[in-house]
Every structure is written in C-alpha cells, then in structure tokens.
Amino acid sequence: MAAKGLTWTTTSKKTAKGDFLSISSVKLYADGALGSRGACLLAPYADRPKETGFLLASPEKLEARIRKIGAKGFQVNTHCIGDSANRLVLSIYGKVLKGQNELRWRIEHAQVIHPQDFALFKQYQIIPSVQPTHATSDMFWAADRLGPERLRGAYAWKSLLAQNQVLAAGSDFPVEDINPLYGFHAAIARQNAEGKPAGGFQMENALTREEALRAMTIWAAYAAFEEKTKGTIQKGMVADFVLLEDDLMQAPLEALRSIKVSQTYLNGELVYQPLKKGAEE
Ligand SMILES: [Zn+2]
C-alpha cells in the first residue's frame, strides 16, 4: 500500500520509526520450546527424568548481549519458555535495570514461571508478552512435560497481569494462527476450537473479556511504545480498527472464533470488506 503520510525518524541512537515499521527492539532467545523439551527447566522434565532442557547461550553471553543491545537504546525482548530460562533472564534484566525504570523490557512467552519469580516482573517493571493460543495448543500434553505442580505456574496470565497491571497478548503468527479472535477466545475461555476442555484449562488464570481486549490493544501498544498513537479509538490516534458483526464483549464463548469481520480500517482507510451479494463494486 502507498506510504501516504509516511514519516520516518531516527533517534540519536540506532532506533528508527515509520508509520508501518518500527525498529526499536531486539528479540533474543534464551531457550527453546516445551513440546520438543528444549525449554530450560529448573528441575527435570516429568516425562524425561534425565533432561532439563537447555539454554541457547551461556548466562554470561546472554547477559553481555542484553547489556550491549540495551546500551544502544533498543528495547530487549527475550524468549523464555522454561522456568529456569525465565528466572535467569529476569535476574539478568534485574541486574541491568536495577529497579523501577521506563524501558519496558519484555519477556516473550513467559510460559512457565516458578511461583517465587512472578514478583520479579513487578520489581523491575518487566512486561510479560504472552500468546493465548499457546495454552490451548499445549494444554493436552503440557502436564506430561511439567507434572501437575509446575503446570500451575504455566500460562499464568492472571498472575502475570497482577504484577504491573500490564500484559501484552499477541498471536505468535506464523507459529500459531493469525486470527486475533482465536487468541481472544483462548485468553478468556482457555478452550480450543472444539470448546475443550469443558469449563476451560486452569481457569484461575483466564483473563476477563476486558483484560483480553486491553492485552491485545492498548497494552500491546504500550509494550511497543506506541500507546500514544495506537491501541485505543480516540481523537489523535491512528484509526486502526475493525467492525465486527457481533459484540466481542457479549457473544457466547462458542461463537467468538467465528465472528465475521465486516470492515477493517488501517490508518482511517477501508482496507477490507467482504463482497456482499448484489453489492456493486
Ligand atoms: Zn519466541
């Protein structure tokens, strides 16, 4: 699409910002994934008692990278799945950030957290960035990997949100489906497309509809330093929004994934509208 009104600014450091692209953060990887047992755990896998997973770099290398990237003015966002990876990165962030700060560094996924470590998010103002469909993709086998006790600290969005009252939620496309309605449904119902399990998975960590909507809009924008232009519909913001055929805040859970989008606007311009029968082009 035409770069109408494109503005591009570079700061005194290395970051740059345009209307459709922002280069201001770096994603690092601390560990791998839970399914493949590449997530780094504090204690062995429940279904593989000799394995604890692994880090993708030594703690020293990871810390050096985090310091270097942070010093250039970039936001640091580190992928952490296992409770050991999360603890390590939270403690490195803590060493660098020292306490309350404005840097909005993130932990991507924040998937399995030891009960003692939730408070570190608050202590260093670290933003948990989660992907709700991860829970619904993993929930039928995550207990095999983690056992029932550790599972309580996994996909623990409500406990994460309680730390700073900010939680960013995304799709993790292309690993997961791009449709944000799937993430919204997973965040509040913690059920898959078939409505399983009945009653939802570990519902003490389900988000309310309002929390899920905020996590996917204003808090996601905040987590990318874009809350002054995106994430809410009000005067002065770029007009990025969709019109839906049903009310997200009221529709029955089982209807959420199939709500139809009637129009999509990007920066105030209509960019998507399904053709209606008999409608003129
Ligand atoms: Zn990741």
Side-chain angles (χ1 to χ4, degrees):
M1 96 175 293
K4 205 162 90 182
L6 186 77
T7 51
W8 190 262
T9 44
T10 49
T11 69
S12 56
K13 295 188 177 161
K14 305 284 181 197
T15 60
K17 207 164 182 50
D19 285 351
F20 295 101
L21 179 67
S22 168
I23 304 168
S24 56
S25 61
V26 173
K27 183 178 178 184
L28 295 175
Y29 284 81
D31 64 348
L34 192 61
S36 56
R37 299 188 188 80
C40 190
L41 299 177
L42 293 164
Y45 278 84
D47 56 359
R48 201 67 70 82
K50 286 185 182 145
E51 290 181 24
T52 53
F54 48 88
L55 295 171
L56 297 176
S58 69
E60 295 73 29
K61 261 196 183 142
L62 199 55
E63 178 171 340
R65 264 179 216 157
I66 288 169
R67 284 186 185 280
K68 197 171 171 184
I69 292 164
K72 297 276 185 197
F74 287 92
Q75 179 190 29
V76 184
N77 305 328
T78 310
H79 164 121
C80 299
I81 301 288
D83 51 7
S84 178
N86 274 286
R87 176 175 287 180
L88 173 68
V89 172
L90 285 163
S91 79
I92 294 173
Y93 279 9
K95 265 203 270 179
V96 180
L97 298 169
K98 295 190 173 76
Q100 300 290 295
N101 64 87
E102 305 282 307
L103 298 176
R104 306 186 194 179
W105 285 7
R106 308 192 327 221
I107 300 256
E108 293 301 319
H109 318 309
Q111 207 165 87
V112 186
I113 309 288
H114 187 279
Q116 286 168 5
D117 297 338
F118 283 98
L120 297 172
F121 284 90
K122 184 176 171 112
Q123 197 173 338
Y124 303 113
Q125 275 184 288
I126 294 160
I127 300 175
S129 165
V130 304
Q131 295 71 29
T133 56
H134 283 180
T136 50
S137 296
D138 301 357
M139 62 193 172
F140 296 117
W141 51 259
D144 297 345
R145 300 282 186 280
L146 298 172
E149 206 178 306
R150 271 185 302 200
L151 191 64
R152 315 283 352 159
Y155 318 97
W157 309 322
K158 201 81 167 178
S159 306
L160 289 167
L161 173 59
Q163 302 308 313
N164 295 306
Q165 276 70 52
V166 173
L167 177 77
S171 64
D172 207 21
F173 175 79
V175 176
E176 299 279 341
D177 197 283
I178 199 168
N179 189 340
L181 292 170
Y182 295 0
F184 185 78
H185 175 248
I188 65 172
R190 294 175 64 111
Q191 290 174 323
N192 65 13
E194 289 78 51
K196 291 184 176 141
F201 164 70
Q202 298 192 167
M203 288 304 281
E204 67 277 17
N205 269 303
L207 300 179
T208 65
R209 289 180 195 236
E210 185 178 332
E211 287 164 350
L213 191 60
R214 285 179 186 275
M216 296 172 73
T217 56
I218 183 64
W219 293 337
Y222 178 85
F225 291 94
E226 294 189 322
E227 77 278 9
K228 290 196 177 119
T229 52
K230 294 177 188 166
T232 53
I233 299 172
Q234 54 180 311
K235 204 174 167 186
M237 311 288 276
V238 298
D240 290 352
F241 62 93
V242 289
L243 295 180
L244 302 174
E245 287 186 3
D246 205 347
D247 183 354
L248 271 184
M249 309 311 271
Q250 304 288 341
L253 293 177
E254 60 276 15
L256 287 173
R257 283 176 180 248
S258 48
I259 291 179
K260 295 270 176 296
V261 176
S262 45
Q263 288 185 332
T264 302
Y265 286 83
L266 180 66
N267 203 12
E269 277 182 55
L270 180 63
V271 292
Y272 171 78
Q273 182 173 31
L275 286 175
K276 287 215 173 79
K277 260 190 197 153
E280 284 176 65
E281 255 298 80

PDB file of all heavy atoms in Angstrom, residues 240-257:
ATOM      1  N   ASP A 240      -6.887   2.583  13.359  1.00  0.00           N
ATOM      2  CA  ASP A 240      -6.757   1.164  13.006  1.00  0.00           C
ATOM      3  C   ASP A 240      -7.849   0.436  13.781  1.00  0.00           C
ATOM      4  O   ASP A 240      -7.794   0.362  15.006  1.00  0.00           O
ATOM      5  CB  ASP A 240      -5.411   0.594  13.476  1.00  0.00           C
ATOM      6  CG  ASP A 240      -4.222   1.131  12.690  1.00  0.00           C
ATOM      7  OD1 ASP A 240      -4.428   1.822  11.679  1.00  0.00           O
ATOM      8  OD2 ASP A 240      -3.087   0.826  13.091  1.00  0.00           O
ATOM      9  N   PHE A 241      -8.849  -0.091  13.092  1.00  0.00           N
ATOM     10  CA  PHE A 241      -9.918  -0.794  13.826  1.00  0.00           C
ATOM     11  C   PHE A 241     -10.702  -1.701  12.896  1.00  0.00           C
ATOM     12  O   PHE A 241     -10.600  -1.605  11.670  1.00  0.00           O
ATOM     13  CB  PHE A 241     -10.850   0.208  14.523  1.00  0.00           C
ATOM     14  CG  PHE A 241     -11.572   1.147  13.585  1.00  0.00           C
ATOM     15  CD1 PHE A 241     -12.844   0.831  13.122  1.00  0.00           C
ATOM     16  CD2 PHE A 241     -10.982   2.334  13.174  1.00  0.00           C
ATOM     17  CE1 PHE A 241     -13.513   1.699  12.245  1.00  0.00           C
ATOM     18  CE2 PHE A 241     -11.646   3.192  12.305  1.00  0.00           C
ATOM     19  CZ  PHE A 241     -12.909   2.870  11.842  1.00  0.00           C
ATOM     20  N   VAL A 242     -11.456  -2.597  13.511  1.00  0.00           N
ATOM     21  CA  VAL A 242     -12.335  -3.475  12.736  1.00  0.00           C
ATOM     22  C   VAL A 242     -13.776  -3.272  13.191  1.00  0.00           C
ATOM     23  O   VAL A 242     -14.028  -2.892  14.339  1.00  0.00           O
ATOM     24  CB  VAL A 242     -12.002  -4.980  12.909  1.00  0.00           C
ATOM     25  CG1 VAL A 242     -10.703  -5.334  12.223  1.00  0.00           C
ATOM     26  CG2 VAL A 242     -11.978  -5.376  14.377  1.00  0.00           C
ATOM     27  N   LEU A 243     -14.702  -3.505  12.261  1.00  0.00           N
ATOM     28  CA  LEU A 243     -16.114  -3.580  12.632  1.00  0.00           C
ATOM     29  C   LEU A 243     -16.482  -5.056  12.592  1.00  0.00           C
ATOM     30  O   LEU A 243     -16.225  -5.737  11.600  1.00  0.00           O
ATOM     31  CB  LEU A 243     -16.981  -2.805  11.633  1.00  0.00           C
ATOM     32  CG  LEU A 243     -16.773  -1.295  11.577  1.00  0.00           C
ATOM     33  CD1 LEU A 243     -17.712  -0.677  10.549  1.00  0.00           C
ATOM     34  CD2 LEU A 243     -17.020  -0.661  12.937  1.00  0.00           C
ATOM     35  N   LEU A 244     -17.049  -5.545  13.687  1.00  0.00           N
ATOM     36  CA  LEU A 244     -17.405  -6.959  13.771  1.00  0.00           C
ATOM     37  C   LEU A 244     -18.925  -7.105  13.716  1.00  0.00           C
ATOM     38  O   LEU A 244     -19.655  -6.205  14.121  1.00  0.00           O
ATOM     39  CB  LEU A 244     -16.872  -7.553  15.083  1.00  0.00           C
ATOM     40  CG  LEU A 244     -15.362  -7.453  15.292  1.00  0.00           C
ATOM     41  CD1 LEU A 244     -14.982  -7.934  16.687  1.00  0.00           C
ATOM     42  CD2 LEU A 244     -14.615  -8.278  14.244  1.00  0.00           C
ATOM     43  N   GLU A 245     -19.379  -8.258  13.248  1.00  0.00           N
ATOM     44  CA  GLU A 245     -20.829  -8.453  13.140  1.00  0.00           C
ATOM     45  C   GLU A 245     -21.475  -8.859  14.459  1.00  0.00           C
ATOM     46  O   GLU A 245     -22.683  -8.936  14.557  1.00  0.00           O
ATOM     47  CB  GLU A 245     -21.137  -9.483  12.041  1.00  0.00           C
ATOM     48  CG  GLU A 245     -20.897  -8.876  10.668  1.00  0.00           C
ATOM     49  CD  GLU A 245     -21.316  -9.770   9.516  1.00  0.00           C
ATOM     50  OE1 GLU A 245     -21.852 -10.867   9.769  1.00  0.00           O
ATOM     51  OE2 GLU A 245     -21.083  -9.354   8.370  1.00  0.00           O
ATOM     52  N   ASP A 246     -20.657  -9.144  15.447  1.00  0.00           N
ATOM     53  CA  ASP A 246     -21.214  -9.473  16.756  1.00  0.00           C
ATOM     54  C   ASP A 246     -20.361  -8.779  17.818  1.00  0.00           C
ATOM     55  O   ASP A 246     -19.232  -8.378  17.538  1.00  0.00           O
ATOM     56  CB  ASP A 246     -21.201 -10.997  16.946  1.00  0.00           C
ATOM     57  CG  ASP A 246     -22.253 -11.469  17.944  1.00  0.00           C
ATOM     58  OD1 ASP A 246     -22.823 -10.603  18.670  1.00  0.00           O
ATOM     59  OD2 ASP A 246     -22.500 -12.680  18.018  1.00  0.00           O
ATOM     60  N   ASP A 247     -20.897  -8.652  19.029  1.00  0.00           N
ATOM     61  CA  ASP A 247     -20.204  -7.930  20.098  1.00  0.00           C
ATOM     62  C   ASP A 247     -19.279  -8.884  20.857  1.00  0.00           C
ATOM     63  O   ASP A 247     -19.745  -9.809  21.526  1.00  0.00           O
ATOM     64  CB  ASP A 247     -21.261  -7.321  21.032  1.00  0.00           C
ATOM     65  CG  ASP A 247     -20.627  -6.484  22.142  1.00  0.00           C
ATOM     66  OD1 ASP A 247     -19.380  -6.473  22.253  1.00  0.00           O
ATOM     67  OD2 ASP A 247     -21.390  -5.844  22.894  1.00  0.00           O
ATOM     68  N   LEU A 248     -17.982  -8.623  20.740  1.00  0.00           N
ATOM     69  CA  LEU A 248     -16.966  -9.436  21.416  1.00  0.00           C
ATOM     70  C   LEU A 248     -17.221  -9.568  22.915  1.00  0.00           C
ATOM     71  O   LEU A 248     -16.877 -10.567  23.531  1.00  0.00           O
ATOM     72  CB  LEU A 248     -15.608  -8.741  21.300  1.00  0.00           C
ATOM     73  CG  LEU A 248     -14.698  -9.005  20.136  1.00  0.00           C
ATOM     74  CD1 LEU A 248     -13.403  -8.251  20.355  1.00  0.00           C
ATOM     75  CD2 LEU A 248     -14.426 -10.483  20.018  1.00  0.00           C
ATOM     76  N   MET A 249     -17.769  -8.513  23.489  1.00  0.00           N
ATOM     77  CA  MET A 249     -17.908  -8.470  24.947  1.00  0.00           C
ATOM     78  C   MET A 249     -19.163  -9.211  25.422  1.00  0.00           C
ATOM     79  O   MET A 249     -19.344  -9.407  26.611  1.00  0.00           O
ATOM     80  CB  MET A 249     -17.948  -7.006  25.442  1.00  0.00           C
ATOM     81  CG  MET A 249     -16.817  -6.134  24.920  1.00  0.00           C
ATOM     82  SD  MET A 249     -15.193  -6.879  25.108  1.00  0.00           S
ATOM     83  CE  MET A 249     -14.772  -6.280  26.747  1.00  0.00           C
ATOM     84  N   GLN A 250     -20.024  -9.600  24.485  1.00  0.00           N
ATOM     85  CA  GLN A 250     -21.294 -10.237  24.859  1.00  0.00           C
ATOM     86  C   GLN A 250     -21.503 -11.609  24.230  1.00  0.00           C
ATOM     87  O   GLN A 250     -22.250 -12.421  24.776  1.00  0.00           O
ATOM     88  CB  GLN A 250     -22.479  -9.346  24.406  1.00  0.00           C
ATOM     89  CG  GLN A 250     -22.467  -7.919  24.936  1.00  0.00           C
ATOM     90  CD  GLN A 250     -22.803  -7.841  26.409  1.00  0.00           C
ATOM     91  OE1 GLN A 250     -23.375  -8.757  26.987  1.00  0.00           O
ATOM     92  NE2 GLN A 250     -22.401  -6.746  27.046  1.00  0.00           N
ATOM     93  N   ALA A 251     -20.891 -11.856  23.083  1.00  0.00           N
ATOM     94  CA  ALA A 251     -21.183 -13.086  22.327  1.00  0.00           C
ATOM     95  C   ALA A 251     -20.866 -14.324  23.167  1.00  0.00           C
ATOM     96  O   ALA A 251     -19.928 -14.312  23.960  1.00  0.00           O
ATOM     97  CB  ALA A 251     -20.359 -13.099  21.045  1.00  0.00           C
ATOM     98  N   PRO A 252     -21.639 -15.398  23.004  1.00  0.00           N
ATOM     99  CA  PRO A 252     -21.326 -16.628  23.737  1.00  0.00           C
ATOM    100  C   PRO A 252     -19.930 -17.143  23.366  1.00  0.00           C
ATOM    101  O   PRO A 252     -19.470 -16.938  22.234  1.00  0.00           O
ATOM    102  CB  PRO A 252     -22.407 -17.620  23.278  1.00  0.00           C
ATOM    103  CG  PRO A 252     -23.264 -16.931  22.294  1.00  0.00           C
ATOM    104  CD  PRO A 252     -22.816 -15.514  22.142  1.00  0.00           C
ATOM    105  N   LEU A 253     -19.251 -17.774  24.322  1.00  0.00           N
ATOM    106  CA  LEU A 253     -17.874 -18.231  24.106  1.00  0.00           C
ATOM    107  C   LEU A 253     -17.733 -19.027  22.815  1.00  0.00           C
ATOM    108  O   LEU A 253     -16.792 -18.832  22.042  1.00  0.00           O
ATOM    109  CB  LEU A 253     -17.408 -19.098  25.286  1.00  0.00           C
ATOM    110  CG  LEU A 253     -17.244 -18.383  26.634  1.00  0.00           C
ATOM    111  CD1 LEU A 253     -16.842 -19.386  27.717  1.00  0.00           C
ATOM    112  CD2 LEU A 253     -16.205 -17.270  26.532  1.00  0.00           C
ATOM    113  N   GLU A 254     -18.678 -19.928  22.577  1.00  0.00           N
ATOM    114  CA  GLU A 254     -18.546 -20.827  21.422  1.00  0.00           C
ATOM    115  C   GLU A 254     -18.730 -20.102  20.087  1.00  0.00           C
ATOM    116  O   GLU A 254     -18.410 -20.642  19.040  1.00  0.00           O
ATOM    117  CB  GLU A 254     -19.502 -22.024  21.547  1.00  0.00           C
ATOM    118  CG  GLU A 254     -20.981 -21.677  21.623  1.00  0.00           C
ATOM    119  CD  GLU A 254     -21.456 -21.325  23.051  1.00  0.00           C
ATOM    120  OE1 GLU A 254     -20.613 -21.077  23.948  1.00  0.00           O
ATOM    121  OE2 GLU A 254     -22.682 -21.287  23.257  1.00  0.00           O
ATOM    122  N   ALA A 255     -19.193 -18.856  20.142  1.00  0.00           N
ATOM    123  CA  ALA A 255     -19.389 -18.106  18.896  1.00  0.00           C
ATOM    124  C   ALA A 255     -18.204 -17.199  18.574  1.00  0.00           C
ATOM    125  O   ALA A 255     -18.069 -16.699  17.455  1.00  0.00           O
ATOM    126  CB  ALA A 255     -20.657 -17.262  19.003  1.00  0.00           C
ATOM    127  N   LEU A 256     -17.309 -17.000  19.547  1.00  0.00           N
ATOM    128  CA  LEU A 256     -16.268 -15.970  19.395  1.00  0.00           C
ATOM    129  C   LEU A 256     -15.348 -16.200  18.198  1.00  0.00           C
ATOM    130  O   LEU A 256     -14.998 -15.265  17.478  1.00  0.00           O
ATOM    131  CB  LEU A 256     -15.420 -15.885  20.672  1.00  0.00           C
ATOM    132  CG  LEU A 256     -16.097 -15.227  21.868  1.00  0.00           C
ATOM    133  CD1 LEU A 256     -15.228 -15.370  23.106  1.00  0.00           C
ATOM    134  CD2 LEU A 256     -16.377 -13.756  21.580  1.00  0.00           C
ATOM    135  N   ARG A 257     -14.919 -17.441  17.998  1.00  0.00           N
ATOM    136  CA  ARG A 257     -13.942 -17.696  16.936  1.00  0.00           C
ATOM    137  C   ARG A 257     -14.492 -17.455  15.537  1.00  0.00           C
ATOM    138  O   ARG A 257     -13.725 -17.275  14.598  1.00  0.00           O
ATOM    139  CB  ARG A 257     -13.436 -19.145  17.023  1.00  0.00           C
ATOM    140  CG  ARG A 257     -12.430 -19.340  18.134  1.00  0.00           C
ATOM    141  CD  ARG A 257     -12.030 -20.796  18.255  1.00  0.00           C
ATOM    142  NE  ARG A 257     -11.061 -20.950  19.319  1.00  0.00           N
ATOM    143  CZ  ARG A 257      -9.787 -21.291  19.126  1.00  0.00           C
ATOM    144  NH1 ARG A 257      -9.332 -21.524  17.919  1.00  0.00           N
ATOM    145  NH2 ARG A 257      -8.965 -21.390  20.153  1.00  0.00           N
TER     146      ARG A 257
END
